[in-house]
Amino acid sequence: MSFTPIRVAVLGSGFFGNTLAMACKDNNAFDVVAICDLDSASAQELATRAGARAVVDPAELAVATDIDLVMIATPNHTHASASIGFLQAGKSVFVEKPLAITAEDALAVTAAAALSEGQLLVGHVERTMPGIKRLFHQARSGKLGTLLEGYGSRSRLVHVPEGSEDWWKLDRTRSGGELLHEIHELDLLTWVFGEPVEIRTIAGAPRPAGSRIEDSVHKTTLKFGSGAVGYHELSTSAHVPDWKFRVSGTEAALEADFRTGKVSRYVDAVVTEQWGIFDSERANDSLRASAEKKQAYNAAGAAGPYWMQAAVECELAEVIAAMRGQESVLIDSPATAVIAGVEAMAQASQTQSSKGTPASTGALVGA
Ligand SMILES: NC(=O)c1ccc[n+]([C@@H]2O[C@H](COP(=O)([O-])OP(=O)(O)OC[C@H]3O[C@@H](n4cnc5c(N)ncnc54)[C@H](O)[C@@H]3O)[C@@H](O)[C@H]2O)c1
């Protein structure tokens, strides 16, 4: 069957807008029509490379008749209002994670999606990696027995470049905070286990004010409707890195280790099967190589590692499926992780202030 290309506009021509636009340009299923950024020079530069027109006013994208899908890759605090505007204009929206930085906004976007002719897809890229999809399908189809517990972690020492004091990624009012900005493993937990019915979070003190790293340690326990429990760890100050997702059932467990690029099936402490997070060994090698490097937030203009390019290709395959009315892992429960993350962060601030660390509050809000 032949399909007409999906006419796409990319909002935001920074680090990830570049990655998305160039991946779409290299994929026959897409026709990159427009690049929009408040920074007109940046929009023009990417538009030239992508063979698209440059646009400065996002409202122009909403009324354009030659756009099917808008990919939103702007700072996190802009996601909800941009998504709602495009959905109300009847466009499909692929919005980078997190969907929103408040629970109310996340629900407002899903409400707008329910009334729109367009689709709402959230860039939960880890769901789309082939090894993680296989883990999900095994867990959800009973191959692990009854699901008992889950574990997700993203702990590393994050380095921040000099001179980035005003960077939105370090400002909680624009990033939503570390837990929402790096929502990936929390999303995997809620994707596999469903909406949590109980959440308990304890946060450690942030690094000293002035270091510009906020929310440095969060430990969250979750209880799901099925009775299964989950544990989520996040740290920007861990000298011992850990980046894993694990689901355990009565018969077996599956563990994805993003630092080794492998998913392992365990039965009673013995590894009985293994597969890659990616189907391509080059991408798994790139994950392993990234694990050996110092970790930093990606700056506009930076070149992402190869595995990220491979991940975006997997993600685009899911976007294409959704746009063709087929099954896609990006459609399910778009707001759940944000709602859980917001609740976890509210509890984190309570645990911090109850310890009498008000000095940290300034650093937390990126004042
Ligand atoms: N899925 C992933 O692995 C992944 C990786 C990196 C970033 N991201 C997400 O991508 C998004 C963008 O991150 P980034 O690293 O590209 O940031 P960035 O700072 O490099 O780029 C953001 C761009 O948005 C533009 N912009 C800001 N406000 C705008 C507005 N209202 N309208 C139009 N343009 C606007 C800025 O000028 C800038 O060019 C974020 O939501 C981030 O969470 C996802």
Side-chain angles (χ1 to χ4, degrees):
M1 204 192 294
S2 73
F3 291 93
T4 49
I6 301 159
R7 299 168 302 173
V8 63
V10 178
L11 181 70
S13 53
F15 168 71
F16 220 63
N18 252 273
T19 310
L20 290 168
M22 297 314 284
C24 286
K25 180 181 188 291
D26 291 342
N27 189 318
N28 289 337
F30 294 94
D31 183 6
V32 185
V33 172
I35 305 290
C36 178
D37 199 292
L38 296 181
D39 177 341
S40 58
S42 163
Q44 186 58 63
E45 194 277 328
L46 179 57
T48 303
R49 275 188 291 120
R53 66 175 182 271
V55 172
V56 176
D57 181 2
E60 263 185 55
L61 303 181
V63 295
T65 52
D66 63 346
I67 293 168
D68 306 310
L69 169 72
V70 183
M71 292 188 146
I72 300 173
T74 49
N76 301 345
H77 68 300
T78 65
H79 290 180
S81 59
S83 299
I84 291 171
F86 294 126
L87 287 164
Q88 285 176 343
K91 308 287 186 223
S92 287
V93 165
F94 167 92
V95 56
E96 262 312 323
K97 54 77 204 167
L99 171 63
I101 64 170
T102 68
E104 293 75 17
D105 279 357
L107 291 170
V109 186
T110 54
L115 296 174
S116 175
E117 280 170 34
Q119 300 221 41
L120 171 65
L121 307 169
V122 183
H124 290 306
V125 65
E126 285 184 358
R127 295 184 182 192
T128 74
M129 298 172 180
I132 302 296
K133 266 178 82 172
R134 187 167 161 188
L135 182 162
F136 173 81
H137 288 305
Q138 290 213 0
R140 291 283 289 250
S141 63
K143 293 211 166 61
L144 307 182
T146 303
L147 300 187
L148 300 175
E149 59 182 294
Y151 172 74
S153 64
R154 181 179 287 244
S155 297
R156 69 274 190 248
L157 188 62
V158 175
H159 297 264
V160 170
E162 291 292 323
S164 50
E165 284 70 24
D166 292 330
W167 202 12
W168 70 266
K169 291 185 185 181
L170 304 178
D171 174 358
R172 192 177 187 174
T173 63
R174 289 178 284 170
S175 71
E178 180 71 8
L179 201 66
L180 291 179
H181 185 59
E182 299 290 5
I183 201 166
H184 299 285
E185 292 73 29
L186 188 59
D187 174 65
L188 291 182
L189 280 167
T190 55
W191 185 42
V192 170
F193 290 94
E195 218 169 295
V197 292
E198 261 181 69
I199 296 180
R200 295 275 179 276
T201 298
I202 293 184
R207 284 197 216 171
S211 67
R212 308 300 306 166
I213 292 277
E214 54 183 34
D215 302 343
S216 72
V217 184
H218 285 81
K219 312 275 179 191
T220 301
T221 49
L222 305 109
K223 184 157 187 185
F224 300 96
S226 63
V229 291
Y231 183 57
H232 179 258
E233 285 194 299
L234 186 79
S235 174
T236 56
S237 48
H239 287 272
V240 179
D242 187 36
W243 184 14
K244 287 199 184 104
F245 177 58
R246 184 163 67 231
V247 180
S248 305
T250 47
E251 307 299 321
L254 290 172
E255 179 178 85
D257 185 340
F258 293 90
R259 292 176 48 78
T260 63
K262 287 184 183 146
V263 181
S264 307
R265 181 182 172 91
Y266 284 80
V267 176
D268 197 6
V270 175
V271 175
T272 58
E273 204 183 345
Q274 242 175 8
W275 59 84
I277 285 183
F278 290 100
D279 292 339
S280 126
E281 263 323 288
R282 184 180 165 204
N284 290 325
D285 283 345
S286 166
L287 261 180
R288 288 187 274 274
S290 287
E292 301 306 318
K293 291 190 181 140
K294 291 190 173 192
Q295 303 292 303
Y297 297 120
N298 293 298
Y306 174 74
W307 69 261
M308 202 173 266
Q309 201 180 311
V312 168
E313 281 166 23
C314 298
E315 191 165 53
L316 290 190
E318 298 292 331
V319 172
I320 296 165
M323 292 296 289
R324 291 178 180 169
Q326 299 158 1
E327 238 177 75
S328 166
V329 297
L330 296 179
I331 292 174
D332 192 26
S333 56
T336 309
V338 169
I339 294 166
V342 167
E343 169 62 20
M345 287 193 11
Q347 294 194 12
S349 349
Q350 278 167 20
T351 59
Q352 279 171 330
S353 51
S354 70
K355 288 204 165 172
T357 52
S360 66
T361 314
L364 275 171
V365 297

